[in-house]
Amino acid sequence: MATTSSDTLDVPSLLTVLGPQLTPEQATRIFQQGQEAVVFALLNLAKQLAEKKAGVPTGTDPSAPSGQTPPYAKPTAKGRAKAKGAKAGHPGRRRPAPTRIDRHEEHSLSACPECHGPVRPCRGSRTRLIEDIPADITPVVTQHTIHRSWCPHCRATVEPTVPDALPGSTIGLRVVVLSAWLHYLLGTTLAQIIDVFNFHLQFKLSSGGLIQMWRRLREILLAWDLEIQAQALDSAVLHADETGWRVNGTTYWLWCFASKDVTYYMIDRRRGSPALKRFFKKEFAGVLVTDFWGAYNAVVCTQKQKCLPHLLRDLKRTQHYHKPGDDWPAFSKQLKRLIRDSIRLSKRRKELPAKSFASRRQRLDVRLRELLAQPWEQRHARRLVKRLRRHASELFTFLDHAEVPFDNNHGERQIRPAVIARKNSYANGSEDGAETQAILMSVFRTLKQRGHNPVSAVTEAIRAYLRTGQLPALPDPIAEFR
């Protein structure tokens, strides 16, 4: 406690040292100094409590998604929230009307619903269309009579193929494909799928039987998986990202490689360059967009683009947790301004003359070299300078190619469904299950990305495979999804 004498208490110094906590003796001494001392103490304590209540809780990562921040820790929105919905004058959209009517029902009153008195019919009526699922969904059981024939050329008994189910299976293709879609694309757990089919669809299934069917489905769709990988490697712009994955209780890594038309998943025990060499069989001829994870440095490709928002988040995280001093504020300010100027320039590509755009693009390179040439002393500044020097040619690639973005949002969006599936189903129990996961997830995600109904597309492809013994080519993207 700080005092100016034995009788006089220095109230501001006391509040600075003690904060909002006072002992009864200290509160009595403040009271004895009169009304002004009491008012001053109360106002300061109220201010400190308000600032503490409004502050960000310790341990909150400023770069974390807003969904991970508790609602009570978020700042109060300023002003009224903007109205949601389409802009004024935008044409409205609603569900399209059904193309057929299966049933007709008539509704009339015999009494008024308000006073319960008698009513008389009058002119006028209206129609209302309601679509629903029938309450009693009964599986269709079909008995196939398969007539055998004798082939004198092959000297063997032959019979026609039944394309409605996998060989030897009593479960139809649509059930197998629909359940696989629910599990591998939507992340529905195996137990939930069993409940839906057993109780709501009146179709009795077992977990062991489903897993066996999914593995057989994987073997047939392997050709599509290899085709997806080949198309990803032939893409002009490819996004890559990775996330943790559990296989039989061991940490593995799920890799995601996504372009505009395909998404390829790979589950591997390694997070380093050996896993990437498993995917990149040769030099990649396009632009690879990634974050700053060191394993991507081993990939040989024509050009690379690093995710600039990752760099901005690193600056924000360093400032929040380490609170660096010295020349860090100047370094951080220059780097943030450089990154934001480059993003603004990319958005003005169409409105600026080519010569003016090229001149401003060249100026950004000059500013980057000047930033890296300065003798920064703060250790976090030196750390980022070392990173920037290593990736100097990979920061502004998006300014040289209009189709290349400055962020890795596409890769992060494509890996997000896998993260949700991991939280729901706790990943895989074996390496064989992990292989099934990667192949079926790649197929279903790519089909949806191309605008196809994944269940219908896979079902028809399996039917064709059962008839001909060969899987048809992977469907091309629908025109509006290109």
Side-chain angles (χ1 to χ4, degrees):
M1 176 170 44
T3 59
T4 56
S5 67
S6 58
D7 299 325
T8 305
L9 184 66
D10 188 353
V11 178
S13 300
L14 177 65
L15 295 177
T16 302
V17 175
L18 298 177
Q21 296 181 352
L22 295 175
T23 64
E25 294 79 6
Q26 294 161 348
T28 301
R29 294 183 64 186
I30 293 176
F31 176 78
Q32 291 174 351
Q33 295 187 44
Q35 179 180 355
E36 293 183 359
V38 173
V39 172
F40 180 86
L42 291 176
L43 290 177
N44 275 273
L45 289 176
K47 180 180 179 182
Q48 293 178 25
L49 290 172
E51 291 176 351
K52 182 177 180 181
K53 186 177 180 180
V56 179
T58 304
T60 301
D61 188 348
S63 65
S66 61
Q68 295 182 5
T69 305
Y72 60 80
K74 295 182 179 180
T76 305
K78 296 181 180 180
R80 298 183 61 183
K82 296 182 179 179
K84 297 182 179 180
K87 296 181 180 180
H90 191 279
R93 298 184 63 180
R94 57 180 301 173
R95 266 184 104 249
T99 57
R100 72 178 192 281
I101 297 176
D102 301 309
R103 296 170 53 192
H104 291 271
E105 291 188 9
E106 299 285 340
H107 301 269
S108 59
L109 290 173
S110 58
C112 176
E114 300 295 334
C115 67
H116 306 289
V119 296
R120 293 179 299 177
C122 61
R123 293 182 179 181
S125 64
R126 68 183 183 94
T127 58
R128 178 183 177 186
L129 298 178
I130 298 177
E131 289 184 275
D132 204 348
I133 299 175
D136 184 17
I137 300 178
T138 305
V140 176
V141 181
T142 304
Q143 176 177 296
H144 296 266
T145 302
I146 304 170
H147 296 281
R148 295 175 177 174
S149 302
W150 173 260
C151 177
H153 180 269
C154 300
R155 301 189 62 81
T157 302
V158 293
E159 58 184 36
T161 300
V162 179
D164 296 334
L166 296 175
S169 174
T170 59
I171 301 177
L173 276 181
R174 289 197 63 83
V175 171
V176 175
V177 177
L178 176 62
S179 60
W181 173 74
L182 289 171
H183 185 65
Y184 293 106
L185 187 65
L186 302 188
T188 310
T189 65
L190 183 58
Q192 291 171 338
I193 294 173
I194 297 296
D195 286 344
V196 169
F197 277 90
N198 285 2
F199 298 109
H200 299 284
L201 302 181
Q202 307 301 318
F203 198 107
K204 299 302 179 182
L205 291 173
S206 65
S207 58
L210 268 185
I211 293 175
Q212 183 182 9
M213 291 296 102
W214 292 343
R215 288 175 178 172
R216 297 178 65 184
L217 193 65
R218 173 199 74 191
E219 295 172 359
I220 298 174
L221 295 177
L222 176 60
W224 273 9
D225 183 70
L226 296 175
E227 191 174 349
I228 291 172
Q229 181 184 11
Q231 292 187 17
L233 291 171
D234 289 337
S235 57
V237 181
L238 185 65
H239 298 254
D241 201 2
E242 78 289 336
T243 185
W245 196 261
R246 301 289 284 180
V247 177
N248 194 23
T250 304
T251 299
Y252 278 57
W253 296 93
L254 184 140
W255 296 83
C256 174
F257 305 94
S259 68
K260 183 179 64 173
D261 295 331
V262 299
T263 297
Y264 180 81
Y265 297 99
M266 180 181 73
I267 299 176
D268 196 279
R269 180 68 182 273
R270 301 155 296 185
R271 196 192 179 191
S273 57
L276 288 169
K277 291 178 181 178
R278 176 184 164 193
F279 175 75
F280 292 100
K281 304 293 184 181
K282 57 182 180 179
E283 179 180 353
F284 179 59
V287 179
L288 181 63
V289 184
T290 67
D291 55 22
F292 290 89
W293 174 237
Y296 296 112
N297 298 336
V299 180
V300 180
C301 58
T302 304
Q303 286 182 301
K304 297 179 181 179
Q305 171 63 52
K306 295 303 179 184
C307 181
L308 297 186
H310 272 79
L311 198 54
L312 292 174
R313 286 197 291 268
D314 198 345
L315 291 173
K316 188 175 182 180
R317 187 184 299 109
T318 302
Q319 179 64 36
H320 180 80
Y321 284 109
H322 303 284
K323 295 180 172 53
D326 300 329
D327 51 8
W328 168 263
F331 170 79
S332 176
K333 182 178 180 180
Q334 287 188 40
L335 182 55
K336 284 191 288 187
R337 182 174 297 176
L338 177 63
I339 294 174
R340 290 167 179 167
D341 286 348
S342 67
I343 295 174
R344 279 193 290 265
L345 179 60
S346 68
K347 296 178 180 179
R348 300 187 60 193
R349 184 191 306 271
K350 294 182 179 180
E351 64 182 69
L352 288 175
K355 186 175 181 180
S356 176
F357 182 86
S359 175
R360 299 188 184 195
R361 164 70 178 89
Q362 186 177 7
R363 176 58 186 162
L364 290 173
D365 285 335
V366 174
R367 289 171 57 186
L368 177 60
R369 289 194 297 269
E370 292 175 349
L371 175 69
L372 300 180
Q374 297 182 52
W376 304 105
E377 297 181 358
Q378 211 284 327
R379 64 185 184 91
H380 290 290
R382 293 200 306 269
R383 171 179 62 85
L384 289 178
V385 165
K386 183 178 178 181
R387 178 192 299 178
L388 294 174
R389 285 173 179 166
R390 183 186 302 117
H391 303 290
S393 62
E394 304 167 2
L395 299 178
F396 302 137
T397 308
F398 70 100
L399 294 173
D400 301 326
H401 304 277
E403 69 278 9
V404 177
F406 60 85
D407 54 42
N408 195 28
N409 285 351
H410 181 66
E412 294 173 355
R413 284 195 298 267
Q414 293 305 100
I415 206 173
R416 182 62 182 169
V419 174
I420 297 174
R422 177 189 63 197
K423 293 179 179 179
N424 292 341
S425 60
Y426 306 106
N428 305 114
S430 66
E431 290 191 355
D432 188 69
E435 184 179 359
T436 303
Q437 178 85 36
I439 292 175
L440 295 187
M441 193 161 53
S442 298
V443 170
F444 285 130
R445 174 60 52 185
T446 297
L447 289 173
K448 181 180 180 181
Q449 193 174 346
R450 295 185 170 202
H452 296 279
N453 182 328
V455 176
S456 299
V458 171
T459 302
E460 293 305 315
I462 300 297
R463 289 180 186 274
Y465 172 82
L466 294 175
R467 293 192 191 98
T468 64
Q470 185 175 359
L471 195 68
L474 186 69
D476 293 328
I478 298 177
E480 58 262 31
F481 286 84
R482 286 186 178 275

